[in-house]
């Protein structure tokens, strides 16, 4: 059955234009052509990137974070409570006032203590700035290196300047070594991001990230197998060039360098809107949707390629909406904050710290009051009480009489 599925999956009418056979992609005369088996190497390379990332974050990103002022956060440990922990994990992280009242009775605590416990417990799961910086630093470094490599690979290629060259000689277009490494490294990176989603920071657009990574891997794999390498390299360079500025803006945001963060974010926004919302739909999609009709009759793989590119464009519009929200926040509040982050957790952390400070102040005031009382008790003869005042008044009246 597996063999039957394999034969059906690789039917030439699904992947290739009419009259083209898989045998046409056999290497000959020193020319190398794409083969699906090349993609097997992306999985071990992905795990290799994960190992490199681990050492990069430990020996490069962490020292860099400390250099620019990011410190390791030491959070106060909460008092273990089996009842509250069970409710937190299996019911809700944010109990209602009725739940708080019932839990307070069950645990023999005050409602304020229960509220404080839940806030502190939620704060335990909040990722620290150091981890955020490490992730952003790793992505920035990869995007910077792969973008420089992409420019070096593509600057002298004719299809970069003339989109008609994307389809010239298709599908019998030989594979260049630079195209091979550009594709394999990019795909391995997205595999590594998928494999590390469970340990990375989860944001509000977590599902969009999963869809994006899957769409990226699927698109690159499909374009490789059907030999859409030339258009694929254009799509990759367009998307990588904006991500450099986003990740660098995040790094400076976590470090508290707001002015630098704002400047980098504005640069990112301009590059994002130009590359992904102008060049990509009006040049790249035009190249893959319209130009092939001049060379070939529509066939399945070409249609499927464009469907995937349209999904990618929808995701670009989705993130463009978030970017506009962040720009609006920056214009009116002079502060850029990632709207995908869980703002409430940050607010709750500040609230817990404020409450702890209030408790310390109350304790300090209590000690001062006790000390004052003790001091007054040791010198009671200095304080004229009511009986002494009354005796003095009577004696003064008697002497006058």
């Amino acid at each position: 059955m597996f063999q039957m599925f394999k034969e059906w999956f690789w039917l030439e009418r699904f992947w290739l234009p009419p009259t083209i056979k898989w045998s046409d992609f056999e290497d000959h005369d020193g020319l190398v052509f794409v083969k699906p088996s090349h993609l097997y190497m992306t999985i071990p390379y992905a795990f290799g990137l994960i190992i490199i990332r681990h050492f990069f974050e430990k020996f490069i990103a962490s020292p860099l974070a400390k250099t620019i002022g990011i410190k390791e956060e030491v959070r106060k440990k909460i008092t273990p409570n089996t009842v509250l922990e069970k409710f937190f994990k299996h019911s809700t992280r944010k109990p209602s006032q009725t739940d708080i009242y019932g839990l307070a009775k069950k645990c023999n605590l005050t409602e304020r203590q229960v509220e404080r416990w839940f806030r502190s417990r939620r704060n335990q799961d909040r990722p620290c700035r150091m981890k955020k910086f490490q992730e952003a630093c790793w992505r920035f470094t990869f995007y910077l290196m792969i973008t420089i490599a992409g420019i070096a690979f593509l600057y002298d290629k004719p299809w970069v300047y003339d989109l008609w060259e994307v389809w010239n000689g298709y599908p019998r277009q030989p594979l260049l070594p630079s195209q091979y490494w550009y594709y394999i490294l990019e795909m391995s990176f997205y595999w590594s991001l998928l494999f590390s989603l469970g340990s990375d920071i989860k944001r509000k657009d977590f599902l969009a990230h999963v869809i994006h990574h899957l769409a990226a891997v699927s698109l690159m794999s499909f374009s490789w197998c059907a030999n859409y390498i030339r258009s694929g390299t254009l799509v990759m360079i367009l998307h990588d060039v904006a991500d450099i500025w986003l990740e660098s803006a995040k790094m400076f945001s976590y470090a508290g360098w707001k002015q630098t963060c704002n400047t980098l974010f504005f640069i990112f926004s301009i590059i994002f809107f130009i590359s992904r919302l102008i060049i990509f739909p009006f040049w790249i999609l035009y190249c893959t949707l319209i130009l092939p009709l001049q060379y070939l009759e529509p066939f399945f793989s070409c249609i499927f390629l464009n469907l995937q590119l349209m999904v990618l464009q929808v995701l670009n519009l989705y993130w463009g909406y978030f970017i506009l929200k962040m720009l609006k926040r920056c214009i009116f509040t002079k502060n850029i904050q990632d709207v995908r982050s869980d703002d409430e957790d940050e607010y709750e952390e500040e609230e817990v710290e404020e409450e702890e400070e209030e408790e310390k102040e109350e304790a300090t005031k209590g000690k001062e009051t006790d000390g004052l009382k003790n001091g007054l008790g040791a010198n009671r003869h200095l304080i004229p009480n009511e009986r002494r005042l009354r005796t003095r008044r009577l004696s003064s009246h008697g002497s006058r009489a």
Side-chain angles (χ1 to χ4, degrees), residues 21-67:
K21 307 293 183 182
W22 287 117
S23 57
D24 296 330
F25 290 90
E26 295 293 333
D27 300 342
H28 60 85
D29 300 329
L31 299 178
V32 179
F33 294 88
V34 296
K35 297 176 181 59
S37 59
H38 290 158
L39 300 181
Y40 294 151
M41 292 304 300
T42 59
I43 301 301
Y45 285 163
F47 286 106
L49 284 175
I50 292 174
I51 295 172
I52 294 173
R53 173 182 174 177
H54 171 75
F55 288 103
F56 175 88
E57 292 181 351
K58 184 176 181 180
F59 295 107
I60 298 179
S62 294
L64 179 60
K66 293 175 182 178
T67 302

Side-chain angles (χ1 to χ4, degrees), residues 132-401:
K132 290 180 178 180
F133 181 88
Q134 290 172 339
E135 291 186 6
C137 189
W138 164 249
R139 289 193 295 266
F140 165 78
T141 303
F142 181 85
Y143 286 132
L144 177 62
M145 294 177 66
I146 202 69
T147 300
I148 294 173
I151 294 172
F153 293 158
L154 295 174
Y155 82 96
D156 60 345
K157 303 301 185 291
W159 62 85
V160 176
Y161 310 100
D162 183 5
L163 293 180
W164 288 97
E165 288 294 327
V166 170
W167 299 101
N168 186 20
Y170 178 83
R172 297 184 182 92
Q173 297 170 340
L175 176 67
L176 303 176
S178 59
Q179 293 174 320
Y180 173 85
W181 286 111
Y182 190 28
Y183 247 85
I184 294 299
L185 288 176
E186 186 93 15
M187 200 180 309
S188 300
F189 177 71
Y190 280 105
W191 273 123
S192 71
L193 292 181
L194 275 170
F195 296 154
S196 60
L197 276 174
S199 59
D200 286 346
I201 296 171
K202 292 182 176 59
R203 302 182 185 274
K204 292 178 181 178
D205 63 345
F206 174 79
L207 181 59
H209 264 94
V210 175
I211 295 174
H212 173 267
H213 297 339
L214 288 173
V217 171
S218 173
L219 179 59
M220 285 186 283
S221 301
F222 181 81
S223 63
W224 180 274
C225 295
N227 204 16
Y228 297 116
I229 302 297
R230 294 184 180 182
S231 58
T233 53
L234 297 179
V235 172
M236 290 191 295
I237 194 69
L238 271 181
H239 284 72
D240 289 340
V241 71
D243 289 333
I244 301 170
W245 302 95
L246 174 63
E247 300 303 334
S248 61
K250 288 181 182 180
M251 290 165 58
F252 285 103
S253 174
Y254 301 145
W257 297 25
K258 298 301 180 184
Q259 190 62 40
T260 306
C261 168
N262 293 351
T263 302
L264 292 171
F265 183 79
F266 277 119
I267 296 174
F268 159 73
S269 301
I270 294 170
I271 295 175
F272 180 93
F273 288 118
I274 292 175
S275 62
R276 301 197 189 188
L277 301 184
I278 297 177
I279 296 178
F280 182 72
F282 295 105
W283 272 267
I284 304 302
L285 286 180
Y286 172 79
C287 174
T288 59
L289 275 171
I290 307 301
L291 294 187
L293 300 178
Q294 308 298 321
Y295 290 94
L296 306 161
E297 295 182 2
F299 57 100
F300 177 79
S301 69
C302 187
I303 296 171
F304 189 66
L305 171 73
N306 284 286
L307 287 176
Q308 292 182 89
L309 291 175
M310 289 177 184
V311 171
L312 190 59
Q313 182 59 21
V314 170
L315 289 172
N316 289 335
L317 293 171
Y318 173 79
W319 276 307
Y321 164 74
F322 277 112
I323 292 169
L324 289 175
K325 287 184 66 175
M326 294 167 72
L327 287 173
K328 179 181 177 182
R329 177 179 294 181
C330 179
I331 292 170
F332 291 103
T333 66
K334 304 299 181 184
N335 180 37
I336 289 179
Q337 186 177 12
D338 194 345
V339 295
R340 300 172 303 153
S341 301
D342 196 347
D343 300 335
E344 294 178 356
D345 283 349
E346 295 180 3
Y347 172 78
E348 288 171 356
E349 182 181 40
E350 295 175 357
E351 188 174 3
V352 170
E353 291 175 355
E354 291 174 359
E355 289 187 358
E356 290 176 353
E357 291 176 0
E358 291 175 359
E359 290 177 356
K360 290 178 181 178
E361 290 177 359
E362 291 175 0
T364 303
K365 289 179 181 178
K367 290 179 180 179
E368 291 176 353
T369 305
D370 292 338
L372 182 60
K373 289 180 179 179
N374 293 334
L376 293 176
N379 299 279
R380 285 181 180 176
H381 62 279
L382 300 176
I383 302 177
N385 60 23
E386 188 177 354
R387 182 178 295 178
R388 288 175 182 171
L389 288 173
R390 190 179 301 168
T391 304
R392 289 177 184 175
R393 287 171 186 167
L394 289 174
S395 61
S396 63
H397 283 302
S399 61
R400 288 177 185 176

